[in-house]
Amino acid sequence: MDAVPALDEPLKKVLGPATAKVMAEHLGLHTVGDLLHHYPRRYEERGQLTHLADLPMDEHVTVVAQVADARLHTFASSRAPRGKGQRLEVTITDGSGRLQLVFFGAGVHKPHKELLPGTRAMFAGKVSVFNRRLQLAHPAYELLRADSEEAVESWAGALIPLYPATAKLESWKIGKAIQTVLPSAQEAADPLPETLREGRGLLPLPEALLKIHRPHTMADIEQARARLKWDEAFVLQVALARRRHADAQLPAVPRRPRPDGILAAFDDRLPFSLTEGQRKVSEEIFADLATDHPMHRLLQGEVGSGKTLVALRAMLAVVDAGGQAAMLAPTEVLAQQHHRSVTEMMGELAEGGMLGGAENATKVVLLTGSMGAAARRQALLDLATGEAGIVIGTHALIEDKVQFHDLGLVVVDEQHRFGVEQRDALRGKGKQPPHLLVMTATPIPRTVAMTVFGDLETSVLDQLPAGRSPIASHVVPAADKPHFLARAWERVREEAGKGHQAYVVCPRIGDEEDGAKAKKSPEDEAEKRPPLAVLDIAEQLARGPLAGLRVEVLHGRMQPDDKDAVMRGFAAGEADVLVATTVIEVGVNVPNATVMVIMDADRFGVSQLHQLRGRVGRGSAPGLCLLVTEMPEASAARRRLNAVASTLDGFELSRIDLEQRREGDVLGQAQSGTRSSLRMLAVIDDEEVIAEAREEATRIVAADPDLERLPALRTALDALLDEEREQYLEKG
């Protein structure tokens, strides 16, 4: 049998089963290669002591400090009633501050012997407070003795790497395990082609791994980081370039609109002219539709920038060319709404085969899971015969029963809600792969678009159509200034008095068992208060500050028909205030709604708040968005809300959002609970590396699509694209 390559060796064989089990369970590390890619978070310089003055509460920390004094106390307790209980108190210092360590009972003997004044050591534990002083109880520690051979060897070099650790496994134990496997780094296969590596002056991979784990100078660390960032960016971009290349090999039917067809008729009946941005993006899309391989384009635009109009024109171009277009929406409410707005925009052009329909009209059908059997049968028939040129629906469109006459274009709304399996299932319904247009209203910084949506070409709509009103946003600190909240409800009443409408958004529905299902953020834990709920708030408002106004509720657990009835009633002006969960986040269009009050706004992400805010100010009257929070002024949550209130630029906000979240979340890993595949690369800071890696990857894949001349790169790619990563790449 072949020997296992050194880097694929399971850790339990190298480190023993107990350590390997902790590494697998708590750090997701299974092989020698995984451990070598577990990079230090930061480094301690031997001569420079950590700042004890900046210790965070309730966090596991590793500090390097010197023992100032150590005292052994005896005391009486229930276990040692005769005053035989022992407590060792050790004070350590680093020049910036002091910290107390405490050891009890039988645990005092070893530290009492070893932690003598003047001794330097690394200490790790959880920071807590006792008698208003910071302390570490029973910390683990490692003496830094320069005299013993072993210590000199194990802390070789002047820099001590500190690793991302857990309560079960301290940083230096990880460090020791890495020293054990470090010789295997020599056998690491280098994924970067030699010409690329030498051309950019990057270290070979074995050397980079050695320098990241056992650096002698800060320059070693910089060189190693530069190299390891390139690996991550490049391997990811090669994966995406191969997907783009494979898609470009697929055949597709070119779809060109007729000069006198339905698109021209639609443009003639538009009551306004397209914005410069809409015209430019439409030209990019039409150029793609005219080619004989499938379009793969991401259309990102601010809420209200007119993406739906651009998508509809693309769909009409395909209908002109004899094909059908399908629009896939994430929820029934949204599918129904798209269907309404598309048929309204098209007027008699949507009445194909009906009396009064225009001569080049087509049929626009809706297909959702909750439709009645007869309506569903008719819709399926219209699709199979080609009678319907446009279909709008939820994932009900993907079911086996749905057959198309000639599917030419798939438009996916709000990409992050659809997996690639669904995208591909729908694409499989065409005789040849249809063209694909993905729309998102979450602005995505360029680097993230290149990383997460790297298999799609990107178009950006960044102008708002004329006539859209500005939205003023303010933070309402309900705990510090309750009268601000009272004023917020007065503003809602004032707007209702002018004939306008308002949304009130809450994080929770309110009929969960004890609120157990509601996700708790760290801030919730601190407050011990469950997030505010739609059902409770609606009742309080209707009885209190908004008494006399028509208050309705909307949330995700209502029956689809009930949801639709509430939404339609609100759009028709039958209610003044809609108290809802984030079901209104995407696509609900009520031009008469001018105020949005977001309760517990700190429980929502930056992008989500921006999306929600985009629901008001859609008509000619100015919009107002009030972010209500009880978080104190100095908190991170308040800083986040102030950022949202200070700008309407979604791209700026998505950057802020990204800087505040962990990198891995951006790449969709947070949902699947796996580690992010990006350990060294920072999506925002390393924009240049990502852009250069994308260029190199595209060039290499064009020359050698199967990477036959680059076996090490192929191996690295297989490791990246294990099943979970493959899914995240494809889900985007």
Side-chain angles (χ1 to χ4, degrees):
M1 219 176 105
D2 292 347
V4 178
L7 271 64
D8 295 340
E9 190 79 50
L11 286 174
K12 61 170 177 267
K13 283 197 172 168
V14 188
L15 304 175
T19 309
K21 184 167 187 266
V22 177
M23 285 195 170
E25 284 175 8
H26 294 274
L27 296 168
L29 307 174
H30 304 278
T31 64
V32 168
D34 289 345
L35 182 54
L36 286 174
H37 288 293
H38 185 72
Y39 306 133
R41 179 176 284 153
R42 59 192 174 89
Y43 299 84
E44 277 302 339
E45 290 187 51
R46 182 61 55 79
Q48 172 211 331
L49 297 168
T50 327
H51 292 302
L52 291 179
D54 316 328
L55 285 180
M57 271 298 298
D58 280 337
E59 280 194 25
H60 282 278
V61 296
T62 303
V63 297
V64 178
Q66 192 156 1
V67 177
D69 66 36
R71 294 178 189 178
L72 192 60
H73 302 272
T74 53
F75 60 92
S77 71
S78 54
R79 287 190 183 167
R82 296 199 187 129
K84 292 277 175 61
Q86 290 191 312
R87 181 175 79 246
L88 177 66
E89 290 178 3
V90 179
T91 306
I92 57 173
T93 177
D94 67 351
S96 76
R98 295 165 86 80
L99 178 66
Q100 186 157 341
L101 317 177
V102 288
F103 301 88
F104 294 99
V108 304
H109 305 307
K110 187 166 176 276
H112 190 216
K113 283 208 297 278
E114 295 182 335
L115 297 180
L116 305 171
T119 308
R120 293 186 71 250
M122 292 171 78
F123 301 92
K126 191 174 182 182
V127 182
S128 57
V129 172
F130 181 70
N131 277 348
R132 292 198 293 216
R133 286 168 65 191
L134 292 182
Q135 68 167 29
L136 297 182
H138 282 284
Y141 62 89
E142 179 85 6
L143 301 181
L144 298 178
R145 289 200 195 95
D147 52 345
S148 84
E149 248 340 275
E150 188 200 2
V152 171
E153 184 52 41
S154 66
W155 306 110
L159 294 159
I160 301 165
L162 296 182
Y163 291 91
T166 72
K168 296 267 193 292
L169 204 62
E170 294 88 12
S171 167
W172 57 81
K173 287 189 181 156
I174 297 171
K176 281 186 162 169
I178 284 173
Q179 295 302 337
T180 306
V181 301
L182 204 50
S184 307
Q186 293 305 331
E187 298 181 42
D190 200 324
L192 291 193
E194 203 165 328
T195 48
L196 187 159
R197 185 171 59 68
E198 287 175 355
R200 294 188 175 273
L202 297 168
L203 297 178
L205 182 58
E207 195 181 331
L209 289 171
L210 211 58
K211 284 188 168 173
I212 201 83
H213 292 299
R214 198 186 272 178
H216 291 280
T217 63
M218 292 311 277
D220 284 354
I221 297 167
E222 282 315 302
Q223 286 180 317
R225 279 187 172 151
R227 161 62 216 243
L228 296 166
K229 278 180 181 180
W230 250 93
D231 273 19
E232 288 177 10
F234 180 69
V235 175
L236 189 56
Q237 290 303 334
V238 167
L240 293 164
R242 287 187 72 191
R243 188 166 164 90
R244 283 197 304 277
H245 184 272
D247 284 341
Q249 306 312 303
L250 296 170
V253 180
R255 311 278 179 174
R256 295 183 185 86
R258 298 201 312 271
D260 57 346
I262 189 169
L263 175 61
F266 174 76
D267 283 350
D268 287 345
R269 60 174 311 226
L270 274 181
F272 49 81
S273 51
L274 299 177
T275 65
E276 187 52 45
Q278 286 172 324
R279 262 201 299 277
K280 182 174 119 320
V281 168
S282 291
E283 278 164 21
E284 291 172 350
I285 291 172
F286 289 159
D288 282 359
L289 289 174
T291 61
D292 54 9
H293 57 81
M295 163 171 84
H296 289 98
R297 192 164 280 282
L298 172 70
L299 171 57
Q300 40 177 133
E302 286 284 14
V303 175
S305 58
K307 290 184 303 299
T308 311
L309 176 62
V310 169
L312 175 55
R313 292 184 74 241
M315 288 170 26
L316 294 174
V318 169
V319 172
D320 256 350
Q324 291 169 295
M327 182 185 256
L328 201 52
T331 63
E332 294 216 355
V333 169
L334 199 52
Q336 286 158 343
Q337 175 147 339
H338 275 317
H339 182 254
R340 267 199 302 279
S341 60
V342 163
T343 47
E344 277 164 22
M345 279 197 270
M346 286 174 64
E348 70 271 16
L349 292 173
E351 295 169 0
M354 293 150 116
L355 281 173
E359 60 174 312
N360 46 12
T362 186
K363 223 176 193 184
V364 180
V365 301
L366 176 69
L367 189 62
T368 64
S370 63
M371 280 168 77
R376 190 180 169 77
R377 250 197 320 275
Q378 185 58 52
L380 290 172
L381 187 65
D382 288 342
L383 287 180
T385 59
E387 187 85 11
I390 293 177
V391 57
I392 295 168
T394 54
H395 49 252
L397 279 178
I398 298 166
E399 289 172 12
D400 294 342
K401 293 202 254 329
V402 182
Q403 299 298 324
F404 288 86
H405 177 65
D406 178 14
L407 181 60
L409 171 67
V410 175
V411 178
V412 179
D413 190 13
E414 288 304 320
Q415 155 73 3
H416 58 275
R417 292 159 190 257
F418 274 105
V420 82
E421 307 87 62
Q422 289 145 310
R423 228 161 73 180
D424 284 350
L426 192 52
R427 277 179 14 193
K429 303 238 174 229
K431 295 191 177 76
Q432 285 192 320
H435 299 280
L436 174 71
L437 180 66
V438 172
M439 300 197 294
T440 175
T442 311
I444 303 160
R446 173 169 166 259
T447 44
V448 182
M450 285 193 296
T451 309
V452 180
F453 296 99
D455 59 333
L456 303 171
E457 298 300 326
T458 306
S459 294
V460 179
L461 270 178
D462 48 13
Q463 274 175 302
L464 287 186
R468 280 300 297 260
S469 306
I471 304 171
S473 306
H474 303 284
V475 177
V476 177
D480 315 350
K481 299 179 177 162
H483 58 288
F484 276 35
L485 183 57
R487 175 73 189 115
W489 301 127
E490 278 172 30
R491 284 290 290 114
V492 171
R493 292 194 82 94
E494 286 164 16
E495 287 298 311
K498 293 180 197 164
H500 295 310
Q501 292 163 285
Y503 296 103
V504 177
V505 179
C506 302
R508 201 161 63 85
I509 297 172
D511 53 2
E512 303 89 347
E513 299 83 68
D514 308 325
K517 291 183 187 161
K519 276 194 190 144
K520 291 201 169 150
S521 74
E523 282 136 350
D524 302 347
E525 292 296 341
E527 291 180 14
K528 295 289 183 269
R529 166 170 85 62
L532 295 172
V534 166
L535 301 176
D536 306 342
I537 291 289
E539 196 180 321
Q540 288 166 23
L541 291 176
R543 281 208 313 259
L546 302 185
L549 295 183
R550 298 166 300 169
V551 178
E552 286 284 353
V553 299
L554 179 71
H555 57 74
R557 281 218 295 283
M558 289 163 64
Q559 290 302 316
D561 290 351
D562 297 344
K563 269 195 284 205
D564 198 41
V566 168
M567 214 44 249
R568 266 212 297 266
F570 187 65
E574 291 162 13
D576 303 305
V577 180
L578 186 61
V579 183
T581 54
T582 53
V583 289
I584 61 150
E585 172 189 2
V586 183
V588 173
N589 188 20
V590 181
N592 190 42
T594 52
V595 194
M596 156 111 24
V597 182
I598 303 178
M599 307 302 291
D600 274 349
D602 46 274
R603 319 270 171 135
F604 299 97
V606 171
S607 298
Q608 204 172 24
L609 292 169
H610 181 59
Q611 285 270 39
L612 287 166
R613 168 170 64 185
R615 300 290 123 222
V616 295
R618 297 176 81 87
S620 51
L624 173 65
C625 176
L626 301 172
L627 306 167
V628 180
T629 177
E630 292 185 1
M631 295 309 286
E633 193 156 356
S635 62
R638 273 288 279 281
R639 282 199 299 280
R640 209 167 58 228
L641 296 181
N642 291 338
V644 174
S646 68
T647 178
L648 290 171
D649 180 342
F651 285 92
E652 178 54 31
L653 286 173
S654 67
R655 229 186 145 84
I656 293 168
D657 193 20
L658 199 47
E659 281 162 1
Q660 291 185 343
R661 293 191 302 171
R662 295 198 326 280
E663 261 345 304
D665 296 1
V666 176
L667 301 181
Q669 290 292 331
Q671 287 78 347
S672 63
T674 55
R675 287 175 303 137
S676 157
S677 58
L678 298 191
R679 300 181 182 84
M680 193 57 87
L681 196 67
V683 175
I684 285 279
D685 301 339
D686 296 318
E687 182 160 348
E688 224 170 281
V689 176
I690 293 170
E692 288 172 14
R694 182 180 166 110
E695 270 173 43
E696 293 275 13
T698 307
R699 192 175 55 71
I700 281 166
V701 169
D704 181 7
D706 294 330
L707 307 178
E708 282 170 3
R709 298 191 287 282
L710 299 166
L713 176 56
R714 233 184 21 242
T715 308
L717 209 55
D718 295 342
L720 173 78
L721 298 185
D722 57 29
E723 264 173 68
E724 248 161 359
R725 303 270 157 68
E726 179 101 336
Q727 279 175 7
Y728 113 67
L729 262 186
E730 296 185 335
K731 280 182 179 151

